[in-house]
Amino acid sequence: MDQRTEHQPWENLRDLVAADDIAGLKAFIDSLSPGEALRAIFYLSPEDRELVLTKLSPEEAAGLIEDIPDEHAADIIEQLPTGNAAAILNEMYSDDQADVLGEMNEEDAEAILAEMAPEEAKDARRLMQYEDDEAGGLMMTEVFAFEEDVSVKEVLERLSAASESGEVPQIREIYVISRWKRLIGVVRLNDIVLSRGTTPIADLVTPSSFVTPATKLDELAEMFDRSDISTLPVINPHARVIGVVTQEAVVEALNERAEEEYRKLQGIVGGDEIRTMPLLKRSRRRLSWLSINILLNIIAASVIALYEDTLSAVIALAVFLPIISDMSGCSGNQAVAVSMRELSLGLVKPREVLRVWGKEITVGVINGLSLGCLLGIAAWFWKENIYLSLVVASALALNTFVAVSIGGCVPLLLKHLGVDPAVASGPILTTVTDMCGFFLVLSIATLMLPLLLA
């Protein structure tokens, strides 16, 4: 039995590099699944990781790195000698090049760009100017575009040559352009394969949808949903094809956006995080959110201190305080989620805050009364005190109304102020619902204290 199979994959990589067994290193990496290879790379020390990547050919190293999230791929490439980093980026598709370079600090990115092939560097600089959620930021400049007088035979020969060299990804359609490089239309690959070799591709062309570099992610997704195309050409103001956006890139961008919003809502700010990142960097990112939250929670808890006598007199209220704040928070988070979704789809604008509030009021009244009644019934069965039931029921009903109002409106207000709603909505909602929940329970109980103690 091969002794390497008894070790962890990253240990095998380290041993193969130490033995300078390049052939064995390549063979072992090829034997790993993408997930196993990614795990092995991350478990290596920065020094061993650099050795592995520099022992491989640039093309092989690029294939290993392409599955790594952009921020972490940038961290890995920045640690390499500039020449090796440039050689690896030269082997990546243009959209991936721009994404990785965009995550680096400007000085490192410029140093690597200076070492890259001039044409590759030019494309990367152009793509880096666009936003991540625009067609320009998602497109690749490798495009199958042929002039209208080209025959089917010529197209197939050039496709075959490009496929063997690995210059372009798999595609299902090609684009036809005029002699002035302007878009004419699209031809399906299966139509080319089924046609005679002497047929001009102009005879097979059909009108093509197209986008501009400024086309937003959600619009791209809608265009792909409405058709069975796998790519969309990106044109400049002169109708010339400058790139292509793939459906795969759009789906990946949508997933990344959803994951990023989820991380922000959970308090992971400043970018993606994995546990192989430096300890202090991970701690600093988390503390930036947690330290604010602890201050806000202290403010919320101070409400309880103001009503210490009431709470001491009716100790049963302590049982319901976390229930009311938690249930109200859940209702508010539902409203936040809907507002965030509508903002991302462009279904609502920040100036429509009053309309959104009106919509949430109706939900808040219905759900608040329903939840209040359920909690009031539970209080009655526990203590058989109708006044305690009224206190907790009314407090939960009112706080639910407050929570959905805040949850629905705060993301819009934050967006209007230029603050990221995914990061700030959660702490604001939690603080206000806790403060209001505690205040409502204890203030109503204070007013009804003689009846509660009777």
Side-chain angles (χ1 to χ4, degrees):
M1 179 183 293
D2 189 343
Q3 194 170 6
R4 290 199 303 268
T5 59
E6 299 177 3
H7 299 145
Q8 295 288 1
W10 53 93
E11 295 174 331
N12 293 333
L13 291 177
R14 190 165 53 238
D15 293 344
L16 289 165
V17 168
D20 203 26
D21 185 358
I22 308 304
L25 176 65
K26 295 177 180 178
F28 180 70
I29 289 175
D30 289 340
S31 71
L32 298 175
S33 68
E36 289 174 329
L38 187 63
R39 182 166 176 256
I41 286 295
F42 274 119
Y43 269 69
L44 289 172
S45 68
E47 295 77 16
D48 289 331
R49 190 183 300 131
E50 178 181 337
L51 286 173
V52 169
L53 293 175
T54 52
K55 293 288 185 182
L56 296 172
S57 70
E59 183 178 0
E60 291 164 337
L64 197 58
I65 289 174
E66 65 182 1
D67 293 324
I68 299 176
D70 296 332
E71 181 182 354
H72 306 298
D75 288 340
I76 290 172
I77 291 178
E78 279 183 304
Q79 295 168 1
L80 301 177
T82 305
N84 295 96
I88 292 172
L89 283 168
N90 276 332
E91 297 298 327
M92 299 171 71
Y93 290 124
S94 55
D95 57 335
D96 293 328
Q97 290 174 349
D99 290 341
V100 173
L101 286 165
E103 293 291 341
M104 297 181 184
N105 68 62
E106 188 174 349
E107 184 179 347
D108 288 339
E110 282 300 324
I112 293 172
L113 283 165
E115 294 285 335
M116 290 174 62
E119 195 63 31
E120 298 282 348
K122 179 182 176 182
D123 286 342
R125 281 193 172 94
R126 178 158 58 92
L127 296 181
M128 288 167 65
Q129 297 174 0
Y130 300 111
E131 298 294 332
D132 293 339
D133 63 345
E134 294 178 343
L138 297 171
M139 73 178 183
M140 57 177 61
T141 56
E142 299 87 354
V143 183
F144 274 139
F146 300 88
E147 293 188 8
E148 55 189 320
D149 57 352
V150 173
S151 69
V152 165
K153 180 182 178 182
E154 291 176 274
V155 171
L156 290 175
E157 288 174 349
R158 287 162 63 179
L159 289 176
S160 177
S163 177
E164 289 178 3
S165 65
E167 293 177 2
V168 289
Q170 294 182 349
I171 48 95
R172 283 168 35 197
E173 51 261 331
I174 65 169
Y175 296 100
V176 181
I177 56 177
S178 70
R179 67 180 67 180
W180 297 282
K181 310 302 181 185
R182 292 177 179 171
L183 178 67
I184 295 176
V186 64
V187 178
R188 303 287 179 138
L189 201 56
N190 59 335
D191 290 337
I192 293 176
V193 173
L194 297 175
S195 299
R196 297 170 63 90
T198 56
T199 304
I201 57 171
D203 294 351
L204 307 176
V205 72
T206 58
S208 171
S209 300
F210 59 85
V211 296
T212 68
T215 303
K216 289 295 185 180
L217 175 61
D218 292 309
E219 186 177 346
L220 292 170
E222 290 176 7
M223 294 179 72
F224 279 117
D225 286 341
R226 291 196 302 263
S227 63
D228 62 348
I229 57 175
S230 63
T231 59
L232 279 168
V234 184
I235 65 171
N236 66 13
H238 304 292
R240 294 177 179 175
V241 180
I242 60 173
V244 63
V245 177
T246 66
Q247 186 175 28
E248 180 182 0
V250 170
V251 171
E252 183 178 337
L254 288 170
N255 289 337
E256 287 178 358
R257 185 175 69 181
E259 291 172 2
E260 182 181 6
E261 289 180 353
Y262 175 78
R263 287 194 300 269
K264 287 179 178 178
L265 287 169
Q266 300 305 312
I268 304 296
V269 296
D272 195 6
E273 179 186 324
I274 54 176
R275 292 186 175 88
T276 54
M277 291 172 63
L279 174 62
L280 292 179
K281 184 177 182 180
R282 292 175 56 221
S283 176
R284 184 172 64 251
R285 284 183 171 184
R286 294 194 186 188
L287 280 174
S288 66
W289 191 82
L290 292 171
S291 57
I292 294 173
N293 267 265
I294 194 170
L295 293 175
L296 295 175
N297 276 286
I298 290 172
I299 294 172
S302 64
V303 175
I304 297 177
L306 296 175
Y307 291 94
E308 185 178 357
D309 293 340
T310 300
L311 191 58
S312 299
V314 188
I315 197 64
L317 292 171
V319 175
F320 294 100
L321 288 176
I323 297 175
I324 291 170
S325 63
D326 182 66
M327 290 304 303
S328 301
C330 289
S331 297
N333 281 325
Q334 290 174 333
V336 168
V338 174
S339 288
M340 293 292 296
R341 178 61 173 162
E342 289 188 341
L343 282 171
S344 67
L345 293 176
L347 299 177
V348 66
K349 302 295 183 184
R351 64 177 178 271
E352 298 179 272
V353 64
L354 291 178
R355 184 182 70 82
V356 169
W357 186 39
K359 294 284 188 180
E360 288 298 335
I361 285 174
T362 54
V363 175
V365 169
I366 295 171
N367 289 0
L369 291 174
S370 300
L371 294 171
C373 288
L374 288 173
L375 189 61
I377 291 170
W380 164 255
F381 276 110
W382 180 38
K383 289 295 185 180
E384 294 186 355
N385 186 326
I386 188 61
Y387 301 108
L388 177 64
S389 298
L390 289 173
V391 168
V392 297
S394 57
L396 180 54
L398 290 170
N399 207 36
T400 299
F401 175 81
V402 171
V404 298
S405 298
I406 293 170
C409 298
V410 163
L412 277 69
L413 294 172
L414 292 173
K415 186 76 172 179
H416 177 71
L417 295 172
V419 179
D420 190 343
V423 175
S425 295
I428 293 174
L429 174 68
T430 301
T431 302
V432 175
T433 52
D434 283 354
M435 288 180 64
C436 286
F438 299 158
F439 173 77
L440 288 168
V441 173
L442 296 173
S443 61
I444 296 172
T446 300
L447 291 173
M448 300 179 64
L449 192 57
L451 297 172
L452 288 169
L453 297 176

